[in-house]
Amino acid sequence: MSHAPGKAGVDTKFGGGPQPPAAATALPRLILAYGAGTMVSQVLVLRELLVLAQGSELKLALGLWCWLLWTGLGSLWGGRGGRPGGRQGGPQDEPEAGTGQLSSLLVLLGLLLPATVLLIRALPALGLLPWGQSLPLGTALWLFLAVLSPFGLVSGYFFPCACRALTAQSPGAPGRVYYLETLGAALGVLVLQLLLLDRFSGLALSLATGFLLSLSPWILVRPPARRGPAAIIGAAGLLLLAGACLFLPRLETWSLNWQWPGRQVVAAAESPYARLVATREAEQTSFFANGLWQFTYPDPLSAEHQVQFGMLEHPRPRRVLLLGGGPGLVPEILKHPGVTHLDYVELDPKLVRLALELLPEAGAAARDPRVQIVYQDARRFLETPGRRYDVILMALPEPKNAQLNRFYSREFFQVAAARLTPGGVFTFALAGAETSLHPLRAAYLAMTYHTLGRVFPEVAVLPGERARFLAAARSGTLSADPAVLAARLQERGLELHYVRDYYLLSDLSRPRREYLRQTLNRLPVELNTDLEPGCYFYDLALSAIQEGVPANRALLYLRRLSPVMAGSALVAGLLLPGLLLRRRPGALCLYQVTVMGLGVMALEILVLILYQIRFGYLYRHLGMLIAAFMVGMAAGSRALQSRGAPGGLGSVAALQGALAALAALLALWLACGFSYPWPEWVVQAAYALLLTAGGFAGGGIFASAADLWAREGREAGAAGGFLYAADLLGATLGTLGISLMVLPAWGVLTSLYLIAALHAGAALLLLGRR
């Protein structure tokens, strides 16, 4: 379809030249660019928020919720608009006017992306976030809402405008736009993850992405724009972004200093797992991953407590395994004269290399012939057959999310026990208290204590600000008697500062040990497993108490309820609006898309968590998994677009039923043993196909709902705007509900059963209407 030519039939960009092909041919290319750019932008902005929130999964989910909220509001705003640019011409004017509007929106998005990243980095320097303090949940909410609103509104506004512009070409415009956007998103996240993410800084990538977004209309559209304000603004934006790219090193330095006010930043690096920063204060160097403190060197107090209690519990430690904790712990272990071999396992090689470059003493110890550094996930290392150890020291972060919970579960303790020698000792620490324990803190420690007791024949807990857990592969190995530990200290000639005989007599006195033991034994027996992450639940509730938010009450209330009864009531409540809207086709379409967004997003989160539990390197393959999901959505929306064949309610019901079956089958498979007898690559491919299948059903539901709206005679822009907003509303509910409430309170299996019941109910509502 051709568009109305410009004046005198010439190119109106900068004058002169013959008229290129119709502007309508550029619309799909612009939508692809939009999908790729916004998905890459989402990844980059959420990584910045993760650093700001010190790696908190709760606050990252809150940031994603704010992103989806503003995008949904922007979609509603665009859906209520008239023709693009306020034009009142006929359908032949739509592609040209729509192309000009979409081009302007892409330029604006290109400018907003780096501006958003720089604003997030500047927040600590503005005094809104004092360094060293945890970001309160209330502060996080209003900051995230303020910072993400410009990009989110413009991004959401684009979708209904694209639907309106594409109406002249395709009767199923919303479904086609959804297909092109998700296909672009899949391509964008694949390129970002495979080629760019761990090679360039987040600021460099945001500037490059912004520049390409702003440049895309000039490349993809012929003619790219009319003379006037749009062309001038576009050219000015490109010049501004190009200038920022030229001054990138200086901007990097400035923005890092903004993030760490009052501290000297000595090094920074990007890795596939986190943004790494090293700061120096006096003689101490501290290392942070995504803003979360990892270790400080020299820090003899922490190092001695992390290492020496476990080493002293074994009468003659020779072979030692260190899981995490930083290379600064290596020289502390080598103080024991009997150590003949030390394996130090760390997931992120860049963190270790950065530490070894800045810490000469730790670097010298790491080069000791007795030391071997292994760059691998700690759980995967233990699951691989190999040597056994006299002492396994675990210095990994506490279970602050479902991914870290996998290091404190019964399944992990079982693989750790299998790698111990007959008299071996396994040890780690969790936050405790010097005096009395908060009831939730006591329940948290008791769960870990009882879970260890189901695997190891002997378990002990040493009191202190950090409760030190000790587990032995054989009864009669452990000794909490401070006199025995002091004798071993003297026998080995250890010159320590904080683990001394007089400290041991005080810290490990019988009254303190008895108080802690009786407190833990009085509490009900609860076990922490991979599929029921109870430690994650308690850590989440304790974090809510520390930050003064009432989320802990909701979590505790859910925990006390029966999952069957409460889950049934929850599903019934979610299905009730659909029952009430059964006779209103437009509202029913919105409801079905909302259910799809909720269930598909929740299913995606659960599959990613299961992948992390099994393999331990989710971040390395995250781009490929998300791309598989987005490819499925693109294929589903493409396949179900109206081609003259009947679709409608039957297609939506079938796809909702398919999602229910997918979730139910995954839950049954996990309930039957959670075992993988096949090669690793087969299981990885199965997870990718599972995400593709879920995405296919979700994209098909969106396209079918858009087709139903078109049959009702709805205007394409309004249909696209409202349907896209409904999809995002469901996604926000799935993100917050699964990540922060249902999963920690009831576990993976219950979450999958709820998703299956919700989709099955949505399908039955449609079948009943037919």
Side-chain angles (χ1 to χ4, degrees):
M1 181 176 291
S2 62
H3 72 291
K7 292 183 180 180
V10 298
D11 187 341
T12 56
K13 177 185 175 184
F14 298 113
Q19 178 73 14
T25 61
L27 287 173
R29 296 193 292 267
L30 290 175
I31 298 169
L32 281 170
Y34 160 76
T38 51
M39 177 56 72
V40 170
S41 300
Q42 184 184 92
V43 172
L44 295 176
V45 169
L46 289 179
R47 281 170 67 94
E48 297 295 331
L49 294 181
L50 190 65
V51 175
L52 188 69
Q54 298 180 339
S56 168
E57 184 183 68
L58 170 62
K59 290 155 194 167
L60 180 64
L62 188 64
L64 179 58
W65 178 81
C66 293
W67 179 284
L68 296 173
L69 173 67
W70 284 120
T71 307
L73 292 175
S75 182
L76 288 174
W77 176 31
R80 292 179 177 276
R83 295 183 183 279
R87 296 175 60 90
Q88 300 299 321
Q92 69 274 10
D93 296 318
E94 293 283 6
E96 182 182 358
T99 299
Q101 186 180 38
L102 299 185
S103 298
S104 300
L105 291 173
L106 285 179
V107 171
L108 186 54
L109 288 172
L111 291 170
L112 287 173
L113 172 59
T116 302
V117 169
L118 286 171
L119 179 57
I120 292 172
R121 293 192 175 191
L123 288 175
L126 295 174
L128 299 173
L129 303 171
W131 184 88
Q133 295 184 15
S134 175
L135 178 62
L137 201 61
T139 304
L141 176 60
W142 72 261
L143 280 179
F144 292 173
L145 285 171
V147 169
L148 299 180
S149 57
F151 193 97
L153 286 171
V154 175
S155 174
Y157 190 86
F158 185 101
F159 190 93
C161 293
C163 294
R164 195 174 288 115
L166 206 62
T167 303
Q169 297 183 39
S170 171
R176 180 166 168 76
V177 173
Y178 197 74
Y179 153 69
L180 291 169
E181 184 228 353
T182 50
L183 180 61
L187 296 174
V189 77
L190 263 180
V191 171
L192 178 69
Q193 188 74 29
L194 297 180
L195 303 178
L196 303 173
L197 200 55
D198 59 339
R199 295 174 174 84
F200 303 95
S201 71
L203 181 59
L205 290 174
S206 67
L207 283 170
T209 304
F211 184 81
L212 291 175
L213 274 173
S214 297
L215 185 64
S216 58
W218 302 72
I219 298 175
L220 302 177
V221 181
R222 295 290 186 269
R226 294 182 180 276
R227 282 179 178 174
I232 295 173
I233 293 173
L238 284 173
L239 289 174
L240 181 63
L241 290 169
C245 291
L246 291 176
F247 288 95
L248 177 61
R250 187 168 297 179
L251 279 175
E252 287 281 9
T253 302
W254 289 345
S255 63
L256 280 174
N257 290 329
W258 296 342
Q259 287 181 297
W260 303 92
R263 295 182 68 89
Q264 179 189 2
V265 178
V266 295
E270 295 280 346
S271 83
Y273 308 101
R275 176 177 302 146
L276 308 174
V277 173
T279 67
R280 185 165 292 151
E281 195 169 34
E283 297 179 356
Q284 288 187 316
T285 304
S286 298
F287 295 83
F288 300 85
N290 284 337
L292 187 65
W293 177 80
Q294 301 295 302
F295 53 88
T296 296
Y297 188 89
D299 183 10
L301 173 62
S302 298
E304 288 185 12
H305 279 90
Q306 283 184 307
V307 169
Q308 300 304 343
F309 285 113
M311 297 294 288
L312 291 172
E313 283 292 339
H314 195 283
R316 289 175 297 278
R318 291 184 173 84
R319 294 180 298 275
V320 180
L321 172 63
L322 173 63
L323 305 177
L329 298 183
V330 172
E332 197 68 33
I333 296 171
L334 296 181
K335 289 179 180 179
H336 291 258
V339 173
T340 59
H341 185 86
L342 168 61
D343 282 333
Y344 166 40
V345 179
E346 191 73 69
L347 177 63
D348 194 342
K350 285 193 175 183
L351 175 62
V352 177
R353 291 166 189 161
L354 188 65
L356 295 180
E357 289 175 6
L358 299 175
L359 307 176
E361 184 179 343
R367 290 189 291 272
D368 189 290
R370 294 172 291 174
V371 178
Q372 181 177 356
I373 302 178
V374 181
Y375 299 116
Q376 191 177 0
D377 172 70
R379 180 159 171 171
R380 297 289 293 159
F381 176 81
L382 286 173
E383 289 174 340
T384 304
R387 66 168 52 91
R388 295 192 173 198
Y389 300 94
D390 298 316
V391 177
I392 298 179
L393 302 169
M394 187 169 76
L396 295 169
E398 296 197 18
K400 292 185 176 298
N401 52 48
Q403 286 82 1
L404 285 172
N405 184 82
R406 63 194 285 271
F407 294 112
Y408 298 87
S409 66
R410 178 178 57 190
E411 293 83 354
F412 177 77
F413 294 157
Q414 287 169 345
V415 298
R419 296 294 295 273
L420 286 173
T421 58
V425 175
F426 171 57
T427 179
F428 60 90
L430 296 174
E434 287 289 354
T435 54
S436 61
L437 288 168
H438 187 281
L440 274 180
R441 177 71 62 189
Y444 175 43
L445 298 178
M447 172 175 280
T448 306
Y449 177 74
H450 292 306
T451 305
L452 277 171
R454 290 297 178 93
V455 176
F456 293 90
E458 186 176 19
V459 176
V461 187
L462 304 183
E465 185 178 349
R466 292 187 62 78
R468 171 65 52 182
F469 287 85
L470 301 161
R474 184 174 58 194
S475 297
T477 301
L478 301 177
S479 174
D481 186 350
V484 174
L485 301 183
R488 290 175 181 173
L489 189 152
Q490 295 296 329
E491 177 188 343
R492 299 173 194 179
L494 300 177
E495 295 184 1
L496 306 178
H497 298 283
Y498 299 98
V499 181
R500 303 288 296 271
D501 47 4
Y502 43 84
Y503 286 129
L504 291 172
L505 292 171
S506 172
D507 294 343
L508 304 184
S509 63
R510 180 178 294 274
R512 295 190 67 190
R513 288 186 283 120
E514 283 300 311
Y515 163 75
L516 182 58
R517 185 185 65 81
Q518 292 175 11
T519 299
L520 300 184
N521 282 322
R522 276 199 304 264
L523 292 168
V525 175
E526 294 181 289
L527 300 182
N528 184 44
T529 67
D530 286 340
L531 299 182
E532 293 186 10
C535 282
Y536 167 45
F537 164 82
Y538 281 117
D539 189 273
L540 196 62
L542 286 165
S543 298
I545 291 175
Q546 292 170 357
E547 294 172 2
V549 295
N552 65 299
R553 298 178 183 175
L555 285 169
L556 291 171
Y557 180 74
L558 282 177
R559 183 83 169 180
R560 289 193 295 265
L561 295 176
S562 164
V564 175
M565 299 298 295
S568 300
L570 179 62
V571 171
L574 291 172
L575 291 176
L576 181 60
L579 187 63
L580 298 176
L581 299 172
R582 289 173 65 238
R583 301 302 174 187
R584 300 175 59 187
L588 185 60
C589 289
L590 291 176
Y591 172 78
Q592 291 291 330
V593 171
T594 303
V595 170
M596 178 274 292
L598 190 161
V600 169
M601 178 60 75
L603 182 63
E604 181 187 13
I605 290 172
L606 291 172
V607 170
L608 293 178
I609 288 173
L610 290 170
Y611 190 96
Q612 172 75 351
I613 291 172
R614 180 64 183 92
F615 297 108
Y617 42 75
L618 172 65
Y619 286 105
R620 190 190 306 173
H621 294 163
L622 183 60
M624 298 181 65
L625 294 170
I626 293 178
F629 176 74
M630 301 304 294
V631 165
M633 295 202 82
S637 58
R638 180 69 172 176
L640 271 293
Q641 284 178 39
S642 178
R643 299 290 185 183
L649 294 178
S651 299
V652 175
L655 292 170
Q656 294 281 24
L659 284 171
L662 201 64
L665 289 174
L666 178 58
L668 290 174
W669 179 37
L670 295 174
C672 290
F674 196 50
S675 60
Y676 302 90
W678 309 290
E680 187 172 289
W681 68 269
V682 174
V683 182
Q684 292 172 340
Y687 275 120
L689 289 174
L690 184 64
L691 287 171
T692 303
F696 184 93
I701 290 171
F702 188 97
S704 298
D707 181 48
L708 284 170
W709 269 51
R711 295 181 191 181
E712 295 290 327
R714 307 276 181 165
E715 193 267 328
F722 283 102
L723 287 171
Y724 195 54
D727 181 15
L728 294 174
L729 171 62
T732 62
L733 296 175
T735 300
L736 289 176
I738 290 295
S739 297
L740 307 177
M741 303 300 289
V742 177
L743 174 63
W746 295 335
V748 173
L749 291 178
T750 300
S751 300
L752 286 170
Y753 289 136
L754 290 178
I755 293 169
L758 179 62
H759 285 297
L764 290 174
L765 288 176
L766 293 177
L767 293 176
R769 188 177 186 275
R770 295 179 69 197

